[in-house]
Amino acid sequence: MTIFDWLERLEFLRGEPAAWLAALTAVVIVAAPDVRLMLLALAAHYFGAFLLFTEVLDPRLAVVKLLVGWFVCLIFYMTGRQINWGRPPVDLTPAEAAQWRERAPGRLANLPAPLWTARAGLAGLALLLAWWLAGRPNFYLPLLPAELAPLNLAVYALLALGLLQMALAEQPPGAGGLLGAGMGALLFLTGFALFYNTLDQSLIGLGLLAAVNLAVALAVSYLALARRNECVNSEL
Amino acid sequence: MLNSGPFLLIIGPLVGAAATGLAAMLPVGAARWRPAALAGLGLLLAVALGLLLALADGEAWVVYGRSLLLTPEGRTLCLGLLLLLAASYALALVWPAPDAFVPLSLAAVSPLAAMVMIRPFALGALFLLLAAALLAPVLATGRPGSAGTAWRYLVMVVAALPLFLLAGWLAAAPAVLPWGAARVLAAAALLVLGGFPFVLWVRPAARQAAPLVRPFLFGGVQWAMVGFLLGWLAASPDWQVDPGFQAWLRWSGGATALLGGLLAALARDRDELVASLLLLDLGLGILTLLLPGAMGWQTAVALFGGRSVALLLLGAAELLLAGRASGGRSRPWALALWAYGCLTLLGLPLTVGFAGRWALLGALPGLSDGPGGGVLVGLLLLALAAGLGGVGRRVWPPAAAAPPKADVEAAG
């Protein structure tokens, strides 16, 4: 089966369903309390983004975006395994584990709700704002054909949620937090790429954007491992 | 192909980085002399690349329909980058730098050179992000908080990328945004150059970066960014005279310099002082983007060259002073070197930094019709004075207070 055959089978997902898939998976990435869940959502997000990219690019080029995205997920998966998904190392004694300063999922001030509920609320608000903007003709992205209107939602949602995810990174960030923040950067880049590729479909631009995604993923992975070593060296 | 400047600048550093990266994986038994070996290899490669570049004739290389053009300014900039790296590696022969510094800094020369050479200019931002992704790991030195600082540095460049690409698109498209291309470019420039209000990453990065990493990160890389922006502005002269562009850069650069000066005056230790002085100089670096044509380029060369030399001097001095509990008292000449480095960073007379400072302060009043230029120069001089005060406090600390009279009498 060729890419075109697969796209025919997935015709029901193209257009607005793909935009919602990309946006909702981005919400999951922002709200999820566990890095593994974020990673699953990221993989699904890249699939939704691929379906959107097929609207503006040749499918054979759009599939490169999907492969790069899933490769990024693989990089994060291997890094996540090495940092034990942001949790304390498995070989700590109970006394050492009690001193471990990697941020546990915190609680929101004095409220009984866990932190992820606040993140989910903010993500939901951001998605609502993006949906509202995308529905107003004055805010349609310039030079976007009318048949590609669902891209407005996807672009606004990914830009907003990517920025939100980066802004919500804990200070100082833990190793798991850095991976999460890195996913936010990649959401932001994907959202912008969706818009930019409607303006510029040159091979070198596409290639450079793909290289940038991989480079950012590798840099974030390195930083997460470095942060892990900082925590280990300072505690043990 | 070795005769082609662009080819040499893209492929050469990557080959060098691969060689030093492989050398960094030497067996554990060689760990004792590995840092010096890496630095020596890096020095040889940087010098070789510089010589080949100086002799290369070719000035253009077309890749997938896009041109890489090596202008005389670009050649000077790349030679400067390689010279700076060579100096840093030479110091690293004596004082080991982080293992990742040599291969990653060499590798970063390739995207930085591509950023300066690529046409259309907007694509240079993608190369800038590639360079930032290579340099962020160099900032993560293992000191507590360094990974977070490196992440903030990367985030600034990620956030600036869409603005650069938009500016490039707006140049060719009808004005669909109320700002226009010039202001979009100004916003992107402030993000990557650490201009107010995007200054939060600068001082932590300056404090966390290893002493031999700072010259390349804040001297060479910033120079490459300014060179890229000046080249773009030279091709779009309307942008540089746009009132919004001028106003945003003028006041952000001034505010950054003033903030740096005030923080330097209040600095509590040497590291904080140097970071604040660097912030001050970053503000002045932003103002070079206001200067048109050859004046802007020459001022940038003088200013960033002075900054690079200052940071090299400061790095050497800090390494000499490190590990000595008595600090400057046991090595007064190292403290003198450190003080001279600070004065060079301030751009005072009789220092290498003076030429750039004088050129910039002399040119700024002529750029505006009203008193705004004079006010800006006044603020900058105030910032420099505050910075000088901060240096004075560190070099001549007040004498220790005499013990209270009552205690002395009781002891007697």
Side-chain angles (χ1 to χ4, degrees):
Chain A
M1 289 189 69
T2 66
I3 297 168
F4 299 96
D5 295 329
W6 277 108
L7 283 175
E8 243 181 77
R9 289 195 174 195
L10 296 169
E11 192 62 37
F12 68 99
L13 273 180
R14 296 179 71 181
E16 197 157 342
W20 279 106
L21 174 64
L24 289 171
T25 48
V27 169
V28 172
I29 289 169
V30 175
D34 194 306
V35 177
R36 289 167 292 186
L37 192 54
M38 286 184 196
L39 197 52
L40 273 174
L42 187 66
H45 159 77
Y46 276 122
F47 181 72
F50 156 68
L51 292 173
L52 291 169
F53 275 116
T54 57
E55 309 285 349
V56 297
L57 295 174
D58 186 307
R60 288 164 293 189
L61 293 176
V63 82
V64 172
K65 298 272 194 184
L66 176 64
L67 292 174
V68 167
W70 280 351
F71 200 67
V72 163
C73 293
L74 184 61
I75 293 170
F76 280 172
Y77 172 74
M78 295 178 72
T79 305
R81 288 280 304 265
Q82 288 184 296
I83 65 172
N84 198 24
W85 306 105
R87 295 172 301 186
V90 295
D91 55 349
L92 291 183
T93 64
E96 289 165 343
Q99 293 174 4
W100 183 255
R101 275 210 298 241
E102 274 274 69
R103 293 281 181 87
R107 303 194 70 81
L108 180 64
N110 293 322
L111 298 178
L115 195 59
W116 70 266
T117 56
R119 294 172 69 99
L122 286 170
L125 276 173
L127 181 60
L128 203 62
L129 178 65
W131 176 71
W132 179 77
L133 280 174
R136 299 182 72 82
N138 286 345
F139 288 96
Y140 280 178
L141 293 167
L143 302 183
L144 201 64
E147 58 268 23
L148 295 181
L151 277 183
N152 287 297
L153 168 65
V155 170
Y156 284 133
L158 293 180
L159 289 176
L161 290 165
L163 283 173
L164 183 64
Q165 174 69 343
M166 287 191 282
L168 290 177
E170 53 207 11
Q171 294 300 329
L178 274 171
L179 273 191
M183 291 184 204
L186 292 168
L187 287 179
F188 181 79
L189 288 174
T190 303
F192 181 73
L194 269 173
F195 167 62
Y196 190 70
N197 284 142
T198 63
L199 310 173
D200 178 8
Q201 289 103 26
S202 65
L203 270 181
I204 194 166
L206 288 170
L208 284 173
L209 274 170
V212 156
N213 274 277
L214 285 172
V216 169
L218 286 169
V220 166
S221 297
Y222 184 99
L223 294 179
L225 286 167
R227 178 60 182 151
R228 180 68 160 187
N229 291 337
E230 280 174 31
C231 293
V232 169
N233 292 336
S234 67
E235 291 296 335
L236 304 175
Chain B
M1 290 295 274
L2 280 181
N3 203 32
S4 166
F7 178 84
L8 196 63
L9 282 167
I10 301 298
I11 304 299
L14 294 176
V15 169
T20 50
L22 286 170
M25 293 180 206
L26 286 172
V28 175
R32 197 159 47 87
W33 47 269
R34 184 171 58 207
L38 272 180
L41 182 59
L43 174 61
L44 281 172
L45 288 166
V47 169
L49 276 171
L51 286 172
L52 286 172
L53 178 63
L55 297 171
D57 283 337
E59 292 178 348
W61 187 30
V62 179
V63 181
Y64 287 110
R66 298 286 188 249
S67 305
L68 292 160
L69 286 175
L70 186 61
T71 59
E73 291 84 2
R75 187 187 294 262
T76 306
L77 194 155
C78 295
L79 282 171
L81 276 180
L82 291 168
L83 180 64
L84 179 59
L85 277 180
S88 301
Y89 298 156
L91 288 174
L93 285 170
V94 181
W95 297 288
D99 271 357
F101 172 54
V102 175
L104 289 179
S105 57
L106 262 180
V109 172
S110 177
L112 288 173
M115 171 181 73
V116 172
M117 294 189 292
I118 192 79
R119 302 290 183 270
F121 288 96
L123 290 179
L126 291 161
F127 287 109
L128 175 60
L129 186 45
L130 282 175
L134 286 168
L135 291 169
V138 179
L139 271 173
T141 54
R143 291 160 72 173
S146 59
T149 302
W151 164 245
R152 274 196 288 274
Y153 173 72
L154 189 59
V155 162
M156 288 296 144
V157 185
V158 167
L161 174 68
L163 295 174
F164 279 120
L165 293 175
L166 269 177
W169 172 65
L170 285 170
V176 296
L177 282 180
W179 285 352
R183 297 177 200 199
V184 173
L185 186 68
L190 295 180
L191 273 166
V192 297
L193 293 176
F196 187 86
F198 309 113
V199 298
L200 284 181
W201 64 272
V202 174
R203 291 201 319 147
R207 295 190 70 152
Q208 295 286 351
L212 295 181
V213 170
R214 245 183 348 224
F216 183 64
L217 197 65
F218 289 102
V221 174
Q222 290 258 322
W223 184 16
M225 290 184 202
V226 167
F228 159 62
L229 289 163
L230 283 173
W232 200 346
L233 291 168
S236 312
D238 291 344
W239 292 5
Q240 204 168 28
V241 298
D242 178 85
F245 180 87
Q246 290 269 326
W248 285 17
L249 287 190
R250 188 175 290 133
W251 294 113
S252 175
T256 306
L258 194 58
L259 181 64
L262 291 174
L263 289 170
L266 300 172
R268 289 166 295 184
D269 56 47
R270 282 198 297 258
D271 287 347
E272 200 175 320
L273 174 67
V274 170
S276 303
L277 290 178
L278 188 56
L279 183 65
L280 191 163
D281 204 54
L282 283 179
L284 291 161
I286 289 167
L287 294 171
T288 58
L289 295 174
L290 299 173
L291 306 178
M295 179 169 48
W297 170 252
Q298 287 160 7
T299 306
V301 169
L303 194 142
F304 287 94
R307 183 192 297 177
S308 303
V309 169
L311 290 174
L312 279 170
L313 292 173
L314 284 166
E318 283 174 23
L319 289 164
L320 285 167
L321 290 168
R324 290 268 171 161
S326 50
R329 281 199 290 276
S330 64
R331 283 186 169 175
W333 48 274
L335 185 62
L337 181 66
W338 180 86
Y340 185 73
C342 288
L343 297 179
T344 305
L345 198 53
L346 278 170
L348 295 188
L350 300 179
T351 66
V352 175
F354 179 65
R357 196 68 80 240
W358 179 254
L360 181 66
L361 293 176
L364 282 175
L367 292 180
S368 55
D369 295 328
V375 170
L376 180 60
V377 170
L379 284 174
L380 295 176
L381 289 173
L382 181 63
L384 290 171
L388 185 59
V391 174
R393 279 180 58 222
R394 293 258 65 85
V395 174
W396 290 287
K405 221 174 169 187
D407 289 342
V408 171
E409 286 171 358

